[in-house]
Amino acid sequence: MNIETEKKFLVLDDGFKAQAVKSYRIRQGYLAHDSGRTVRVRIRDDKGFLTIKGPSIIPGSRPEWEKEISLQEAEDLFALCKPGSVDKTRWIIPAQMPGQAGHDGRYFEVDEFHGENDGLVMAEIELGSPDEPFERPSWLGKEVTDDKRYYNGYLAEHPYKTW
């Protein structure tokens, strides 16, 4: 099982799109979400995934288990999900790390939300530790890592447009 350490930010403008190396559409629903534990089903383009996340160990870090499943299995599991879902386009942007001449394998994932969360654009970067430094691109805004309103599970139940 992996420990995921990430930081989340609001995005100021769409300057990230010119830096993107790929993008894909994501739809996800939640089978369970309480006490910091999440069981989610996701369809990314034509692939399905089942993900289980545990409660945060330290801010921004939590255990995560993910398994690819068939598209049909993912569609079947959507029928069992709680009401509400998340629909977004994810843009992948190489991240510059201090002291590195080029890209070192780290990426910003920028989520441009659709539907009930339309208008919300967030970026996250996965780090080796919560205090690992990284270069902030000009389009990166306020950090919202610890604001639960910006968690996808919360957005599925309490859409951004209702705040």
Side-chain angles (χ1 to χ4, degrees):
M1 184 172 330
N2 294 329
I3 301 294
E4 176 185 62
T5 300
E6 64 185 20
K7 291 187 180 262
K8 291 181 178 248
F9 301 86
L10 296 178
V11 173
L12 300 173
D13 59 52
D14 65 357
F16 65 89
K17 290 182 180 180
Q19 300 169 8
V21 293
K22 64 182 169 180
S23 68
Y24 39 84
R25 192 68 176 248
I26 294 174
R27 182 169 56 106
Q28 61 193 43
Y30 293 84
L31 296 160
H33 182 7
D34 66 83
S35 303
R37 291 171 178 83
T38 302
V39 180
R40 135 188 120 201
V41 61
R42 172 182 279 177
I43 295 174
R44 185 183 77 204
D45 290 336
D46 61 351
K47 294 182 179 184
F49 299 88
L50 182 63
T51 305
I52 302 170
K53 293 186 177 195
S56 290
I57 299 167
I58 55 175
S61 296
R62 60 194 293 199
E64 176 183 83
W65 177 88
E66 184 170 79
K67 180 170 179 55
E68 186 171 340
I69 59 177
S70 74
L71 180 59
Q72 185 59 57
E73 289 170 323
E75 291 287 0
D76 291 346
L77 286 172
F78 257 94
L80 302 175
C81 286
K82 298 170 68 169
S85 64
V86 170
D87 181 18
K88 60 191 179 181
T89 299
R90 173 162 288 170
W91 301 83
I92 308 300
I93 296 96
Q96 290 296 120
M97 304 304 279
Q100 301 287 329
H103 169 62
D104 77 340
R106 298 227 192 265
Y107 294 89
F108 283 99
E109 295 178 310
V110 178
D111 290 340
E112 182 178 24
F113 290 83
H114 309 293
E116 291 293 310
N117 292 299
D118 192 47
L120 178 61
V121 183
M122 287 191 308
E124 62 183 51
I125 184 169
E126 196 163 321
L127 301 170
S129 68
D131 58 347
E132 182 180 4
F134 60 94
E135 292 186 21
R136 291 179 60 104
S138 61
W139 44 262
L140 201 64
K142 175 184 170 189
E143 183 174 356
V144 294
T145 301
D146 298 325
D147 189 336
K148 295 188 184 335
R149 295 177 302 162
Y150 294 100
Y151 291 8
N152 284 292
Y154 185 89
L155 291 167
E157 293 181 31
H158 310 279
Y160 179 68
K161 286 185 172 183
T162 65
W163 299 1

